[in-house]
Every structure is written in C-alpha cells, then in structure tokens.
C-alpha cells in the first residue's frame, strides 16, 4: 500500500491540473464549467430525469433547474415529460448540444491519449479499476 500522504498529494495535484485544463478548455467555448458538465453527463448517459442528472452532477435539483433553464434558453438541451411517469421531467441534448458534447469529448480523449502515452495496457486497466472503485465511494 502506498504512503497515504503521498497518494493524497498526488491525487490532489492531478485534480488541480485536470481542473485547470478543464477551465482553460471551457473558457474558450463561452459556456460555463457547470453548463459544460451538464452537457457532458447528458452526452454520456442520454436523456435523464432531473433528479438523476442532479445526482450524477453532485448538485441539488434546485441548482440544476437554474442550469437547465440556461441551457434550454441556449437551445442546447430540451425538457419533456417522462414517457412512463408524467410527474417526472426528462432532459436531453438537442442536436446543437450533441455537437458541443462531441467536440468537448474529443478534447478529453486527446488529453487521455497524451496523459497515458507512457502507460502500458495493463497499467491502464489497473488505473481504470482503481478509479472505478474510488468513484463508487462518492
């Protein structure tokens, strides 16, 4: 088991660098980081109930409602009634939102290729497994 303090410092450093990269990439789009994250989640998971989307983003439904309103006004997402539960609202990306997701996701893929160019397939699989386990703890 690695030194907990060193692991903490390394994860924190990676988070800071990733956040800085994300901020710089998002700044060029004209959309906020919160808007981009909402688009990312919908792009990865498809249409979601508001409650599900809020959970995936780690925010309240009240905060999400503000984001969704802005993105609807920008014609990047659309709201609708859930097909099986009329009490639930579902949000999904519009075609313009899908395009923004594709462009942003491509930047992520390019970054991952750059970051892992010296990582073996076995190491990448171990990293993936570790990150998945860590994500389950949230």
């Amino acid at each position: 088991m690695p030194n907990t303090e060193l692991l903490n410092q390394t994860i924190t450093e990676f988070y800071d660098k990733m956040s800085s990269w994300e901020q710089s990439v998002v700044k060029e789009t004209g959309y906020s980081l919160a808007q981009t994250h909402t688009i990312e989640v919908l792009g990865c998971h498809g249409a979601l109930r508001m409650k599900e989307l809020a959970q995936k983003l780690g925010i309240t439904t009240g905060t999400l409602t503000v984001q969704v309103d802005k993105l609807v006004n920008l014609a990047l997402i659309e709201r609708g009634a859930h097909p099986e539960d009329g009490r639930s609202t579902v949000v999904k990306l519009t075609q313009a939102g899908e395009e923004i997701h594709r462009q942003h996701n491509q930047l992520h893929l390019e970054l991952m290729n750059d970051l892992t160019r010296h990582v073996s397939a076995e190491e990448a699989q171990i990293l993936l497994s570790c990150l998945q386990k860590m994500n389950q703890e949230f």
Side-chain angles (χ1 to χ4, degrees):
M1 180 73 175
N3 176 310
T4 303
E5 187 63 34
L6 179 58
L7 183 58
N8 178 57
Q9 290 171 359
T10 304
I11 289 173
T12 301
E13 179 183 354
F14 182 82
Y15 171 81
D16 290 343
K17 288 177 178 180
M18 186 74 176
S19 294
S20 178
W21 175 87
E22 187 81 17
Q23 285 283 356
S24 68
V25 166
V26 168
K27 187 177 183 180
E28 295 175 11
T29 67
Y31 302 110
S32 73
L33 190 56
Q35 290 169 332
T36 303
H37 284 164
T38 302
I39 291 168
E40 269 184 308
V41 171
L42 288 172
C44 290
H45 297 281
L48 293 171
R49 289 183 168 123
M50 289 284 286
K51 185 176 180 179
E52 294 169 324
L53 180 56
Q55 288 172 338
K56 290 188 181 305
L57 290 167
I59 60 176
T60 66
T61 53
T63 300
L64 178 60
T65 298
V66 173
Q67 285 303 325
V68 167
D69 288 344
K70 291 176 183 177
L71 291 167
V72 166
N73 289 338
L74 293 168
L76 299 177
I77 67 171
E78 56 190 22
R79 291 186 169 97
H82 190 279
E84 298 163 9
D85 180 4
R87 297 170 297 164
S88 293
T89 300
V90 173
V91 291
K92 66 178 185 174
L93 294 177
T94 63
Q95 192 171 4
E98 289 279 358
E99 182 57 30
I100 289 171
H101 174 256
R102 274 192 292 280
Q103 291 170 1
H104 190 74
N105 193 54
Q106 184 59 41
L107 294 173
H108 275 270
L109 293 174
E110 290 169 10
L111 176 64
M112 285 304 106
N113 284 334
D114 289 346
L115 293 177
T116 60
R117 69 181 176 270
H118 300 295
V119 174
S120 71
E122 181 182 351
E123 289 170 325
Q125 187 57 50
I126 291 168
L127 176 61
L128 175 61
S129 177
C130 290
L131 290 171
Q132 289 171 330
K133 287 177 184 177
M134 291 166 63
N135 280 337
Q136 289 175 354
E137 296 300 319
F138 284 102

